[in-house]
Amino acid sequence: MEQDKEKIRNSRKRNAVIVAVIFIGLTLYQIYSQDSSNVRLSFDKVKFTIRYQQENIQIPYSAIEKVTLEEVTDTGTLIKGDTTKDYQFGVWENSRWGRYVLCIYRTSRKCMVIETADMRYVVNGDTDQASEAMYDQFLELLGQIGQQS
């Protein structure tokens, strides 16, 4: 019985370390993979943050209802934001996601779609593989946070 409790404690400690490594890895990846557009995604213990131009959008993990990995096919119409050589970001609207926040590299067709009760957020990494890894790590992070609650 005591041995089982020790295994559970060790497992929780290992999970906490994994979450910390994911936070650090995703944050460092985003910090060092930016250009002069200053588009940045960051992850901390309680929220996911999207920064571009003058915007600083914070999404508490507790507000996230659904996360999916999808393909960017048609971003739709730009409402407020910009398109650069490397990025598309801002508020957009299309028939697929309605009005949503877009913050993507143009070099990747894969994207992570984060849904809350009142908005969708579409983000990605600079390659399809980076986007898939971000998605997998984000799901792992959300699972770890849910486990610790």
Side-chain angles (χ1 to χ4, degrees):
M1 185 70 118
E2 189 62 36
Q3 191 175 21
D4 289 339
K5 287 181 182 180
E6 184 64 29
K7 283 182 183 180
I8 291 170
R9 274 192 293 260
N10 287 338
S11 176
R12 286 187 177 166
K13 286 179 186 177
R14 184 172 11 104
N15 289 342
V17 169
I18 290 170
V19 169
V21 168
I22 290 170
F23 280 140
I24 292 166
L26 288 172
T27 300
L28 288 175
Y29 172 78
Q30 291 301 321
I31 289 171
Y32 291 109
S33 66
Q34 305 305 313
D35 73 3
S36 61
S37 299
N38 203 22
V39 173
R40 181 170 292 151
L41 307 177
S42 60
F43 307 80
D44 68 20
K45 292 182 180 179
V46 295
K47 67 186 175 307
F48 173 63
T49 303
I50 301 170
R51 291 184 184 101
Y52 61 90
Q53 289 182 326
Q54 304 302 316
E55 299 295 323
N56 184 23
I57 302 166
Q58 298 182 357
I59 308 161
Y61 297 132
S62 60
I64 295 173
E65 296 180 348
K66 184 177 179 184
V67 180
T68 56
L69 182 66
E70 299 184 27
E71 191 162 316
V72 178
T73 53
D74 175 25
T75 54
T77 305
L78 173 63
I79 306 298
K80 177 185 174 192
D82 201 2
T83 296
T84 70
K85 181 181 84 150
D86 298 319
Y87 298 104
Q88 288 181 286
F89 52 88
V91 178
W92 293 68
E93 188 168 28
N94 68 14
S95 60
R96 181 178 183 184
W97 295 312
R99 188 171 287 234
Y100 68 100
V101 173
L102 177 72
C103 190
I104 62 169
Y105 288 93
R106 298 180 73 179
T107 53
S108 175
R109 299 310 303 163
K110 302 274 181 152
C111 64
M112 182 168 63
V113 180
I114 301 166
E115 295 183 38
T116 64
D118 57 350
M119 185 58 80
R120 284 189 178 89
Y121 304 88
V122 178
V123 299
N124 71 2
D126 61 345
T127 66
D128 287 349
Q129 294 80 11
S131 298
E132 290 169 358
M134 181 191 314
Y135 170 75
D136 291 340
Q137 291 174 342
F138 195 63
L139 288 182
E140 177 77 19
L141 171 65
L142 292 175
Q144 294 296 328
I145 291 169
Q147 248 182 20
Q148 293 176 3
S149 306

